[in-house]
């Protein structure tokens, strides 16, 4: 975790504001994604996703510090080399977003382990402490942002399965990660 967060800090320090690139799986598009897949989500799961959207919408996004973010620091895009160095891949959806988006994705995805007994709030505190230098406001909203990240795993997997017709093991993994994460957090 320490090494991944070191990489996140380096990425966030890059002085670059790219032209905006729409990424349907990006957390800021959670409301769009929910509406897109709403009809395919089971009623019990829909309530969880709606609660995540509600909490995300309460975040004063424009008031948070924005930086260049990788935006997709997931298990698919971070690898440890044979000499224990962390490598980050796939900057295809890097954007200018609130800095805590990077930490939310790390919390929602990289730290996902269904055997872990830590709450989402506890995981967010661990990540925030390791990152350091967050504003009080970023710390306040990190948990809601990470919850939205979990919901995006779930909703994005619905898009892939029911709209794009991709029903494979990887997509089922993302759907289960999101469902289990939402159930545990809410």
């Amino acid at each position: 975790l320490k090494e991944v967060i070191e990489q996140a800090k380096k990425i966030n320090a890059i002085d670059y504001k790219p032209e905006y690139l729409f990424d349907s799986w990006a957390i800021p598009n959670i409301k769009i994604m929910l509406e897109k897949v709403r009809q395919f989500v089971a009623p019990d799961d829909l309530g969880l996703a709606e609660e995540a959207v509600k909490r995300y919408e309460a975040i004063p996004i424009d008031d948070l510090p924005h930086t260049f973010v990788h935006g997709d620091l997931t298990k698919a895009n971070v690898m440890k080399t044979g000499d224990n160095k962390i490598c980050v891949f796939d900057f295809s959806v890097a954007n200018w977003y609130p800095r805590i988006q990077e930490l939310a994705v790390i919390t929602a995805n990289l730290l996902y382990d269904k055997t872990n007994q830590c709450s989402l709030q506890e995981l967010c505190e661990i990540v925030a402490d390791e990152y350091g230098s967050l504003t009080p406001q970023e710390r306040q909203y990190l948990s809601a942002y990470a919850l939205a990240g979990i919901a995006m795993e779930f909703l994005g997997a619905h898009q892939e399965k029911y709209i794009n017709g991709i029903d494979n093991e990887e997509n089922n993994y993302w759907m289960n990660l999101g469902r289990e994460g939402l159930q545990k957090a809410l």
Side-chain angles (χ1 to χ4, degrees), residues 2 10 14 39 53 59-61 64 71 78 84 91 111 115 118 125 134-135 140 151 160 169 173 176 181:
K2 181 178 183 169
K10 288 177 183 178
I14 296 172
Q39 66 187 1
V53 170
I59 300 171
I61 298 295
L64 296 174
V78 174
N84 291 323
F91 281 75
L111 296 185
T115 65
C118 289
E125 289 171 14
L134 294 179
T135 68
Q140 177 184 350
E160 295 304 308
E169 186 177 326
Y173 169 81
N176 289 330

Side-chain angles (χ1 to χ4, degrees), residues 112-148:
Y112 172 75
D113 176 357
K114 64 174 147 184
T115 65
N116 187 340
Q117 297 303 311
C118 289
S119 69
L120 181 62
Q121 182 62 43
E122 290 168 327
L123 291 173
C124 287
E125 289 171 14
I126 291 166
V127 168
D129 288 346
E130 189 62 46
Y131 192 91
S133 70
L134 294 179
T135 68
Q137 194 173 33
E138 286 175 303
R139 283 180 167 274
Q140 177 184 350
Y141 293 110
L142 179 55
S143 181
Y145 216 115
L147 181 65

Side-chain angles (χ1 to χ4, degrees), residues 45-111:
D45 294 335
L46 186 59
L48 297 171
E50 289 172 336
E51 181 62 25
V53 170
K54 178 182 165 189
R55 292 184 189 188
Y56 176 78
E57 288 182 321
I59 300 171
I61 298 295
D62 292 338
D63 295 341
L64 296 174
H66 284 55
T67 64
F68 179 69
V69 300
H70 179 279
D72 201 18
L73 290 178
T74 65
K75 293 175 182 174
N77 295 329
V78 174
M79 183 174 83
K80 187 182 266 189
T81 66
D83 59 349
N84 291 323
K85 291 184 180 176
I86 296 293
C87 294
V88 175
F89 300 94
D90 191 3
F91 281 75
S92 64
V93 295
N95 257 314
W96 186 261
Y97 283 130
R99 175 172 56 180
I100 62 170
Q101 178 157 322
E102 206 83 277
L103 303 179
V105 172
I106 290 169
T107 304
N109 185 287
L110 284 176
L111 296 185

